[in-house]
Amino acid sequence: MEQPYVDPSLDLEAEIKRLKRERNAILLAHYYQDSEVQDLADVIGDSLQLAQAAKRTNADVIVFCGVHFMAETAKILNPGKIVVLPDLDAGCSLADGCPIDRFRAWQARHPGAVTISYINCSAEVKAASDLICTSSNAEKIVRSVPADKQILFAPDRNLGRYLIQKTGRAMVLWQGVCVVHETFSEKKLLALRERHPNAALLAHPECEPGLLATADFIGSTSALLRHAVESPKQEFIVATESGILHQMQKQAPHKTFIAAPPESSCACNECPYMRLNTLEKLYVCMRDLSPRLEMPEALRRAAELPIERMLALSN
Ligand code: 13P
Ligand code: SF4
């Protein structure tokens, strides 16, 4: 989506706050959003926390600053609300790499298996899954499946491999990857660690196995944040989308946080989809209550079931 024209004399922060009140809206933001978007949010969280916040809200409008599958999940869990997101094109390489027809064909090759899908997938894939998980509850969800059942895990192969290692449970993996967590350079990381020998390496489980093998702590974005704040360590190298550093720095201002280096000199540790949500688009989507998340009721109901199973197991 093109950047919309917005009167440059407008105070966008003030306008967004005004619209929040006027629309009785709640603004949910993922940790991977720009810091200026995070600072306007009512709730900042990881995928699970944002899904839970969307389900329990009494607001009339949910403004979702994240990617499409997250806003879709909000609509699935709270269908009576208007759900808007700043840019409908904010996709995800994991969701895009798992089209429903190939996913169904894959399932058909493994009859009788239980399918666990990472929440980073389309509503159609959710509807065809038995259970959904996020990075913060994935281990629990895998362990909930009876030992005699074969498990199919989609779409993130790195999270899948990490879970196989953690739980000792064999799983058939869909071969999807996150474009952001794939870009970290192990060579540059090694050099960085030599220059900062006291720094702890924090990594999201979407990272490559080689990187995870050298990490001091592995967890979802909220787990990484909690660990960074509570750890007695003073210095951290952070291998996940660099938006999380904003909250780390805010909650532990005296500590040092270094973003793990990507392979090239690009800003590839910023998610190109998450960062489509600019302040201008956020303002316009709240002003116009568009673009909205809509889906057929039959699809919504089918997708709701495995998400609700996940939420019940997450309590
Ligand atoms: P969490 O929000 O579960 O940490 O996952 C990170 C992510 O990549 C979201 O797209
Ligand atoms: Fe998808 Fe990766 Fe972006 Fe998360 S960081 S939304 S997994 S592309």
Side-chain angles (χ1 to χ4, degrees), residues 13 37 48 102 127 134 150 160 220 239 289 295 303:
E13 273 94 351
V37 173
L48 179 64
R102 277 178 45 212
T134 76
Q150 184 182 36
S220 68
L289 290 181
M295 78 191 71

Side-chain angles (χ1 to χ4, degrees), residues 198-200 228 231-236 252 254-257:
N198 294 323
S231 160
K233 286 257 182 191
Q234 292 301 309
E235 210 178 0
F236 302 88
H254 304 300
K255 294 187 178 183
T256 304
F257 299 100

Side-chain angles (χ1 to χ4, degrees), residues 105-126:
W106 180 63
Q107 286 182 308
R109 290 197 295 277
H110 302 276
V114 170
T115 306
I116 304 177
S117 292
Y118 190 31
I119 198 163
N120 300 36
C121 63
S122 67
E124 286 80 3
V125 167
K126 287 186 177 76

Side-chain angles (χ1 to χ4, degrees), residues 30 32 46-48 67 69-70 118 120 134-136 181 204 206 220-222 274:
H30 192 269
Y32 295 168
D46 67 11
S47 307
L48 179 64
V67 289
F69 75 80
M70 295 179 175
Y118 190 31
N120 300 36
T134 76
S135 60
S136 60
H181 292 85
H204 195 279
E206 288 176 17
S220 68
T221 43
S222 57
M274 288 276 182

